[in-house]
Amino acid sequence: MNTVPSQNKNQNCLPECFNNFQNCRITLDCTEISCDIPKSLLDQKLTYSSYKNKNTLKGLIGVAPNGLITYSSKLYPGSTSDKKIVGHCGVLNILQPGDLVLADKGFLISDLMPPETSLNIQPFLMSPQFTPSEVLKTKSIARARIHVERVMIRLKKFKILTHIPKALYTKSSLVFQLCAALVNFQNPIIKEVEHLFVNNDKT
């Protein structure tokens, strides 16, 4: 995963649910992993996740439209915001003009996006109910983003990512990235593009 596939390469295996997002380069999402409580009070505070109500480590995953993991950050303390992780890990540096990023509505990173790139997140509810166009946009984005959720489920099935003990703190990022790479060796997450991954070697 040293290179994130280009927008043009993604279009060679674009599933139907991305018809409205044909310039999508990558879909981003974060996941949290439970960890031992550090000895240091400062580290305890940094790793405490108000979302999970426990100490965690947090990593960013980038998924191509065809369902493959193409980017994995190192692990950060659980209190780190999604925006701060995106800004620090350098994933946006790979983007080229015209690229689109899909993300959850919690990724308020529009001010971090490089010039001539775009971010598409689900709209926030600013009135008693969504307008018809907002409903369609929400459904369209959710239909495309569901695959990153399915990828995360596969990733978290590795027992080593159930809980990170103190003994693995220094190697936790490597373990996380290795598990992300191993997910790509499993059967394709999207049936529609499964034929593109068939081994056609006759030897």
Side-chain angles (χ1 to χ4, degrees):
M1 293 186 289
N2 290 330
T3 304
V4 176
S6 68
Q7 178 192 142
N8 289 337
K9 190 169 185 178
N10 284 338
Q11 288 176 350
N12 292 328
C13 50
L14 203 68
E16 185 268 337
C17 59
F18 275 84
N19 282 348
N20 293 331
F21 312 106
Q22 296 201 12
N23 61 330
C24 180
R25 181 80 180 274
I26 196 168
T27 301
L28 299 178
D29 204 3
C30 281
T31 188
E32 294 188 55
I33 302 167
S34 170
C35 68
D36 281 352
I37 300 175
K39 289 183 178 181
S40 162
L41 290 177
L42 176 60
D43 288 340
Q44 288 179 23
K45 181 180 179 181
L46 289 173
T47 57
Y48 185 77
S49 166
S50 56
Y51 177 69
K52 294 288 188 179
N53 291 319
K54 58 184 176 182
N55 295 81
T56 67
L57 299 174
K58 189 174 184 180
L60 177 78
I61 289 292
V63 177
N66 65 6
L68 285 177
I69 296 177
T70 55
Y71 182 85
S72 175
S73 76
K74 70 174 187 177
L75 290 177
Y76 291 81
S79 65
T80 313
S81 69
D82 296 344
K83 180 175 183 177
K84 188 169 287 187
I85 291 176
V86 170
H88 183 269
C89 72
V91 66
L92 299 183
N93 296 336
I94 60 99
L95 299 181
Q96 300 293 324
D99 285 347
L100 168 69
V101 172
L102 287 185
D104 184 68
K105 61 184 178 182
F107 280 74
L108 304 177
I109 58 173
S110 56
D111 58 321
L112 301 180
M113 298 294 292
E116 299 181 55
T117 62
S118 54
L119 171 71
N120 210 326
I121 62 176
Q122 293 173 324
F124 286 90
L125 185 60
M126 305 300 290
S127 58
Q129 63 182 26
F130 285 128
T131 65
S133 62
E134 288 174 332
V135 170
L136 290 175
K137 181 180 180 181
T138 299
K139 287 183 176 180
S140 181
I141 296 174
R143 191 162 168 256
R145 280 199 70 258
I146 189 64
H147 302 302
V148 75
E149 306 289 347
R150 295 170 64 200
V151 167
M152 287 296 194
I153 290 172
R154 284 191 176 184
L155 178 63
K156 299 297 281 288
K157 281 185 177 179
F158 286 97
K159 290 185 178 180
I160 198 169
L161 295 182
T162 302
H163 183 87
I164 302 293
K166 292 177 183 176
L168 277 182
Y169 271 0
T170 58
K171 301 293 185 182
S172 58
S173 290
L174 181 60
V175 169
F176 178 67
Q177 292 169 335
L178 177 59
C179 289
L182 289 174
V183 169
N184 288 341
F185 285 93
Q186 300 177 16
N187 291 331
I189 208 86
I190 303 175
K191 291 285 186 182
E192 185 182 340
V193 297
E194 193 171 28
H195 66 283
L196 298 172
F197 296 88
V198 174
N199 185 356
N200 292 318
D201 292 341
K202 295 182 180 179
T203 57

